[in-house]
Amino acid sequence: MLSDPSKIGRVSGTGAKRGRPPTFDRAKALAAATRLFWEHGYEATSIGELTKAMGMRPGSLYAAFGDKQGLFKEVVQAYGRSPVGAFMGAALEDEPTAREAFRRILRDAAAIYPDPSHPAGCLTISAATNVTVQDAEVAAFLRDLRNANLAAFETRLRTAQRDGELPATADPRALAAYFAAVIQGMSQRARDGATAAELTETAELALAAWPGAHG
Amino acid sequence: MLSDPSKIGRVSGTGAKRGRPPTFDRAKALAAATRLFWEHGYEATSIGELTKAMGMRPGSLYAAFGDKQGLFKEVVQAYGRSPVGAFMGAALEDEPTAREAFRRILRDAAAIYPDPSHPAGCLTISAATNVTVQDAEVAAFLRDLRNANLAAFETRLRTAQRDGELPATADPRALAAYFAAVIQGMSQRARDGATAAELTETAELALAAWPGAHG
DNA sequence: TCAATTCTTGAGGGATCGCTCAACAAGTAG
DNA sequence: CTACTTGTTGAGCGATCCCTCAAGAATTGA
């Protein structure tokens, strides 16, 4: 109701917008926020630290992102589209066999999680494990993402079983849960100081659980 | 200096102490605090929630435990001495072979972590993963405990190798890190809703990495 | 009974939390 | 130019954070 088509949507030929243009680069601001949330987690990162790192005052932050949860969710979405956050989905899609996909996932995790160019571990795994009751929604948001990854693992393994790659005796659900646990453990170990070399050994050992693998 | 032996230490025959006796049961108060820290983590648990659950006013809490960090450390120590918190050390000591020890550790973790009689997962693993800079010491406290567990794993595997239980080609350090990662991942999965049955399957799959295990 | 000791109590202090808002600045449209 | 729109700014609000302290209550020793 009360909709005026001439004011809905920007149909100007160039991307020229009205009003004062933002002085901050949204992508860079998100990158700064990502680093803080990744390192310390959602609640342990204050608006004050965020505004300082993002180079903007609280008013600008709230005008651009709504509130702290909105900023966090946009950070998580951007992380999920970045190479570092999307390597699992990429492996599941790119690799021809499930075996190769999970081997690549584990090896990538071993290389990425301890990479010193960013905070250790996986943001989705570790950024909202300790929250107060009033931020339970944020924890649930990441938990749902993790469980969605688990479901994607199971789906990939189930098609592998249908295609004959995986023996009929194998349990796709159990295998998926096992690999999910190993990956989450590798993230934790990276945050505790494990090196890429150590995590690679963990990845290789984990692959011994693959049906038919003899190690 | 200024030490008066008659005032140092309680040498009275009965356990009678001077002054007003505490109105709270220290063990029960610690149990209540443990539950909160376990569920929400160190910083996400406020003094207000603690005093309410422990049945004491802030002044009493600070007189009894020093400060929040002191209370937390005493909680962690009590947890480490409880059956639920000490099952790994118990298995390492009780079982005759390393293989049996790690099998029992994994199976116990699968049963204990999702047990509904207490918060999910392991307190040492999950209670201080998201902290502000001023509480970095608390995170380091738990990290050191985890890495000490890792070292105990490696030690047990090294003696197993010396005793001939483990082949010379096996890598005790890598195996220890692998099992540590699996256990930490199982704790995370339990907090994400994994059941004891699912975690038991994960435990069995994890054991496939044992040198010489086939299938 | 009277000190000495220990614990509880209620009030609240200083700092920080997430967040808001009126005033101002910088752009486009006519 | 004026009108309009959007972004920035600095001050600060109410709530909550961890923690403290003087006063009172409950015990023991003399």
Side-chain angles (χ1 to χ4, degrees):
Chain A
M1 54 179 72
L2 295 180
S3 64
D4 182 352
S6 70
K7 292 189 176 180
I8 300 243
R10 304 258 164 67
V11 251
S12 55
T14 72
K17 299 172 199 163
R18 308 239 302 221
R20 178 175 179 172
T23 61
F24 68 96
D25 180 330
R26 195 176 185 91
K28 287 184 181 176
L30 279 174
T34 301
R35 180 163 273 273
L36 285 176
F37 282 134
W38 198 342
E39 176 85 30
H40 300 290
Y42 177 73
E43 282 185 339
T45 303
S46 70
I47 296 290
E49 293 169 316
L50 287 166
T51 54
K52 184 178 177 184
M54 298 166 76
M56 53 200 306
R57 246 49 64 193
S60 299
L61 189 150
Y62 280 85
F65 299 100
D67 60 359
K68 194 184 177 186
Q69 288 199 17
L71 170 61
F72 182 72
K73 289 182 179 175
E74 189 160 337
V75 158
V76 172
Q77 287 173 2
Y79 172 83
R81 282 191 292 267
S82 74
V84 165
F87 72 94
M88 297 198 228
L92 288 178
E93 284 189 10
D94 297 352
E95 297 301 323
T97 68
R99 171 87 200 259
E100 287 170 291
F102 282 93
R103 183 170 57 191
R104 177 173 142 187
I105 285 174
L106 288 167
R107 290 177 178 174
D108 280 359
I112 291 171
Y113 287 167
D115 189 309
S117 73
H118 53 68
C122 171
L123 182 141
T124 305
I125 293 173
S126 63
T129 58
N130 300 147
V131 291
T132 58
V133 281
Q134 58 260 35
D135 282 325
E137 181 193 333
V138 177
F141 175 65
L142 290 196
R143 170 170 46 75
D144 291 347
L145 282 181
R146 290 190 295 269
N147 286 333
N149 273 337
L150 174 61
F153 282 6
E154 182 181 344
T155 298
R156 183 67 189 87
L157 290 166
R158 217 170 273 286
T159 69
Q161 194 171 47
R162 176 162 26 82
D163 295 348
E165 182 197 345
L166 213 56
T169 56
D171 183 344
R173 184 174 159 86
L175 265 179
Y178 165 75
F179 284 122
V182 169
I183 288 163
Q184 292 179 16
M186 286 172 65
S187 171
Q188 256 269 25
R189 292 270 314 123
R191 291 179 74 82
D192 280 357
T195 66
E198 291 169 339
L199 290 175
T200 300
E201 292 174 333
T202 294
E204 300 303 327
L205 283 169
L207 285 168
W210 193 269
H214 34 311
Chain B
M1 55 178 75
L2 296 179
S3 65
D4 181 354
S6 69
K7 292 188 176 179
I8 300 238
R10 303 257 162 69
V11 252
S12 57
T14 71
K17 300 172 198 162
R18 308 242 302 226
R20 177 175 179 171
T23 61
F24 68 96
D25 181 329
R26 193 176 187 92
K28 287 184 181 174
L30 279 174
T34 300
R35 181 162 271 272
L36 286 176
F37 281 134
W38 198 342
E39 177 84 30
H40 300 289
Y42 177 74
E43 282 183 341
T45 303
S46 70
I47 295 290
E49 293 169 314
L50 287 166
T51 54
K52 184 179 178 184
M54 299 167 77
M56 53 201 303
R57 248 48 66 194
S60 299
L61 189 150
Y62 281 86
F65 299 101
D67 61 359
K68 195 184 178 187
Q69 288 200 17
L71 170 61
F72 182 72
K73 289 182 179 177
E74 190 161 337
V75 159
V76 172
Q77 287 174 1
Y79 172 83
R81 282 191 293 267
S82 75
V84 165
F87 72 93
M88 296 198 229
L92 288 179
E93 284 189 8
D94 296 353
E95 297 300 324
T97 69
R99 171 88 200 260
E100 287 170 293
F102 281 94
R103 184 170 57 191
R104 176 172 143 188
I105 285 174
L106 287 168
R107 290 177 177 175
D108 281 359
I112 291 172
Y113 287 166
D115 189 308
S117 71
H118 53 71
C122 171
L123 182 141
T124 305
I125 292 173
S126 64
T129 58
N130 300 147
V131 291
T132 58
V133 281
Q134 58 261 33
D135 282 325
E137 181 194 335
V138 177
F141 175 65
L142 289 196
R143 170 170 45 75
D144 291 347
L145 281 181
R146 291 189 294 269
N147 285 333
N149 274 337
L150 174 61
F153 281 6
E154 183 181 344
T155 298
R156 181 68 189 87
L157 290 166
R158 217 169 273 285
T159 69
Q161 194 171 48
R162 178 162 24 82
D163 296 348
E165 181 196 346
L166 214 57
T169 57
D171 184 342
R173 184 174 159 84
L175 266 179
Y178 165 76
F179 285 122
V182 170
I183 288 163
Q184 291 179 17
M186 287 172 65
S187 171
Q188 257 269 24
R189 292 271 313 123
R191 291 180 73 84
D192 279 358
T195 66
E198 291 168 339
L199 290 175
T200 299
E201 293 174 333
T202 294
E204 301 302 327
L205 282 168
L207 286 168
W210 193 269
H214 38 309

